[in-house]
Amino acid sequence: MLRAGEPRFFSDRCFLFELPSDVATLIASKGLMLQGDLERVSFVGVILDHDNVNIFLPRSSILPSGKAQRYQVASNVMLAIEKYGRSSAKTLINEVDEGRGYKNLAQLTLLKELLTDFIQNGIYSKRKQVRRINQGKVDWKKTVNGFNPYPGRDGQPVYIDNYGVNREYFSNCEVAKIHAKVIRIIDKKISWLLLGAQRLDALALSEYQEPSGDVDCQILQLRREIATTYSDRDIRLLRMLVGFLESLAGLNRSPFAIGLTKFHFCWEAMLAAVLEFVEPVNSRLPYPVYINANEDELEALDTGMRTDIFMHDHTKKLIAVVDAKYYAATQAKDSPRWGDIVKQLFYEQAIESLGLNAAIKNIFVFPGNGNNIHHVALKNRSINKQEASSFVDKFKPIYCYYVDPLEVVENYTKNKKMRDFSFTLLQND
């Protein structure tokens, strides 16, 4: 029996009927379903619904049994999503980007940055200059006008007392109350997902009263503070607080979803980041042109070859053309289609034309821990299974590999390379 606030784990691409009724209703209401298939989930991330924390993991993930490990897995997935969103789209504005399937990713980065700032700098404090007698930097103008001097030995006036200026910091201002409220909301809702499964040690925040006025009044107060502040850190914090109040006030309401509806883009980016021997090659690949009657070349718009991952081991003279496929690949019906196969075979021929003096290996990489499909080959329709196919020599096989998506996620968040898996991909089959 789950306690309030404990995460419930589900899988991307699962059927709606496999979910609890309340979660299935959330998925349907948010439109987080596979395009053209209203029975399957298409979402990796978190849906916050009152005290329920619903985590959707990448497809084919194997959830560990331990509670601590599960919390860490949930945190790793959200950190990977945040990192991907930050690196691939630094100017996200809308709640949902239809092209890449973002769901509040810009706000996810904002939440993480607010937490990081609080951990490093604490609650907002307002700096004031306080005048005191015989303390701080001497204010000679006020001292001369306010105190009578005594004659010194050399005839110069001597001031026994002086007015000084101290710079002191106060954290009981209205902006500090707004800051404390925002951090309390983030800590309650999502901080453990963005801090490596840890919560903030923010008991002192309970000492701050609720800020006055509604959200609009609080935004106005923050903007006024920005106009009178000169510290870069303070200005950045104040702007982040404004951003939170403008776009994330709904975090305190339910339901609220953060994640990706098209995780295959993130899958490609993560694999490219964790594999070794990865090099850029797309700028060297051919592109199509149209030839008119005058033999003029007309470049095709927005087209050209773009491999997912190009691996080149110069020492062993081996090349792997890797296509990161977000398929279950347990059988033919849930594996890459003809278009994916043809494209991959064509990439191989294009790379052969570069004359790199290396053996070339074509690869599909799927999320999972199985080895259901070993490779893809082309054969003549008219021959039996026992007979050799003439197409085997013309078109090399596309080898299929599986890798635990949670392992990829963990290495991606820690900026680590998957050395063993990289060597596996580049070995001769």
Side-chain angles (χ1 to χ4, degrees):
M1 183 74 179
L2 284 175
R3 293 182 298 176
E6 285 192 28
R8 298 186 291 181
F9 291 89
F10 309 101
S11 177
D12 185 22
R13 298 298 196 267
C14 70
F15 287 99
L16 261 63
F17 68 77
E18 298 175 305
L19 301 173
S21 58
D22 63 315
V23 181
T25 300
L26 283 175
I27 291 294
S29 67
K30 293 288 186 181
L32 305 178
M33 294 167 291
L34 196 61
Q35 188 173 4
D37 186 351
L38 300 182
E39 299 300 321
R40 283 182 177 271
V41 173
S42 182
F43 181 68
V44 175
V46 61
I47 302 177
L48 305 172
D49 183 30
H50 301 289
D51 288 332
N52 292 322
V53 181
N54 305 297
I55 305 291
F56 282 82
L57 303 177
R59 73 182 312 166
S60 303
S61 297
I62 297 179
L63 189 64
S65 57
K67 181 178 178 180
Q69 290 84 355
R70 290 188 172 200
Y71 272 80
Q72 188 63 60
V73 161
S75 179
N76 286 345
V77 169
M78 295 309 298
L79 289 172
I81 290 173
E82 189 278 327
K83 179 179 178 179
Y84 167 73
R86 175 166 34 88
S87 63
S88 63
K90 298 181 183 299
T91 57
L92 285 176
I93 299 175
N94 298 325
E95 178 178 328
V96 180
D97 182 281
E98 295 299 334
R100 291 273 174 170
Y102 298 123
K103 191 74 173 177
N104 286 324
L105 284 210
Q107 288 84 347
L108 184 62
T109 294
L110 175 61
L111 292 172
K112 184 179 178 183
E113 290 179 347
L114 280 166
L115 287 174
T116 302
D117 178 89
F118 174 74
I119 292 170
Q120 294 176 348
N121 302 296
I123 207 68
Y124 180 83
S125 58
K126 191 175 181 68
R127 186 174 66 178
K128 292 183 178 179
Q129 289 187 343
V130 179
R131 298 188 181 277
R132 300 185 185 278
I133 296 177
N134 299 328
Q135 291 184 29
K137 185 178 180 181
V138 177
D139 183 341
W140 285 110
K141 182 177 180 180
K142 190 171 182 61
T143 297
V144 169
N145 293 330
F147 290 107
N148 292 320
Y150 293 90
R153 290 181 179 180
D154 56 358
Q156 297 295 322
V158 175
Y159 290 87
I160 304 300
D161 296 307
N162 63 74
Y163 284 108
V165 177
N166 277 340
R167 291 181 177 180
E168 297 184 3
Y169 293 85
F170 300 87
S171 292
N172 59 351
C173 59
E174 197 66 23
V175 173
K177 295 177 183 177
I178 297 171
H179 189 194
K181 177 184 179 180
V182 167
I183 297 299
R184 282 197 299 262
I185 293 173
I186 299 173
D187 186 39
K188 179 181 178 181
K189 290 290 185 178
I190 201 173
S191 67
W192 68 273
L193 284 169
L194 296 174
L195 296 176
Q198 301 295 319
R199 294 292 297 268
L200 280 177
D201 183 14
L203 295 177
L205 292 177
S206 60
E207 300 174 0
Y208 290 88
Q209 299 177 353
E210 287 289 309
S212 60
D214 58 14
V215 171
D216 290 336
C217 291
Q218 293 167 19
I219 291 175
L220 181 61
Q221 177 72 32
L222 292 172
R223 293 194 184 281
R224 288 174 176 169
E225 190 77 4
I226 291 173
T228 60
T229 301
Y230 300 96
S231 165
D232 290 339
R233 178 261 167 176
D234 288 350
I235 292 174
R236 181 173 178 273
L237 170 61
L238 293 167
R239 287 175 176 171
M240 287 194 296
L241 291 173
V242 170
F244 179 93
L245 295 178
E246 288 180 336
S247 64
L248 271 167
L251 182 65
N252 209 25
R253 299 190 295 268
S254 294
F256 196 87
I258 303 177
L260 291 166
T261 61
K262 298 179 180 179
F263 191 73
H264 56 278
F265 291 114
C266 184
W267 177 244
E268 295 169 7
M270 289 193 302
L271 278 174
V274 301
L275 292 177
E276 293 191 332
F277 307 105
V278 175
E279 297 179 1
V281 75
N282 290 339
S283 62
R284 302 171 62 185
L285 298 180
Y287 62 93
V289 294
Y290 297 97
I291 310 297
N292 63 17
N294 296 324
E295 298 296 322
D296 298 322
E297 291 186 355
L298 307 175
E299 183 175 338
L301 299 177
D302 195 29
T303 57
M305 294 188 182
R306 295 184 182 90
T307 62
D308 282 355
I309 303 168
F310 175 81
M311 302 172 67
H312 191 177
D313 186 337
H314 294 265
T315 302
K316 296 182 179 179
K317 296 185 177 180
L318 288 173
I319 288 173
V321 186
V322 181
D323 197 0
K325 287 300 181 189
Y326 193 60
Y327 287 80
T330 59
Q331 50 190 322
K333 68 178 183 180
D334 58 14
S335 297
R337 300 293 190 264
W338 175 240
D340 296 314
I341 295 170
V342 170
K343 184 170 63 174
Q344 199 66 7
L345 294 173
F346 202 68
Y347 284 154
E348 180 185 349
Q349 293 187 15
I351 289 173
E352 280 184 345
S353 71
L354 299 179
L356 297 176
N357 189 30
I360 300 174
K361 182 179 177 182
N362 242 337
I363 294 173
F364 285 149
V365 175
F366 305 110
N369 293 272
N371 56 351
N372 302 77
I373 299 174
H374 180 263
H375 68 275
V376 182
L378 296 186
K379 69 184 295 289
N380 294 330
R381 291 183 182 273
S382 59
I383 64 176
N384 298 322
K385 291 183 179 180
Q386 291 77 17
E387 296 179 279
S389 171
S390 61
F391 283 100
V392 171
D393 295 329
K394 293 182 179 179
F395 300 100
K396 295 179 182 178
I398 303 173
Y399 293 97
C400 300
Y401 292 88
Y402 298 77
V403 61
D404 182 358
L406 298 183
E407 184 182 356
V408 175
V409 163
E410 182 176 7
N411 282 279
Y412 178 67
T413 59
K414 295 180 178 178
N415 298 315
K416 291 184 176 181
K417 297 292 185 180
M418 298 180 65
R419 186 174 181 82
D420 291 342
F421 186 61
S422 300
F423 281 119
T424 297
L425 296 181
L426 281 168
Q427 70 183 4
N428 286 314
D429 286 84

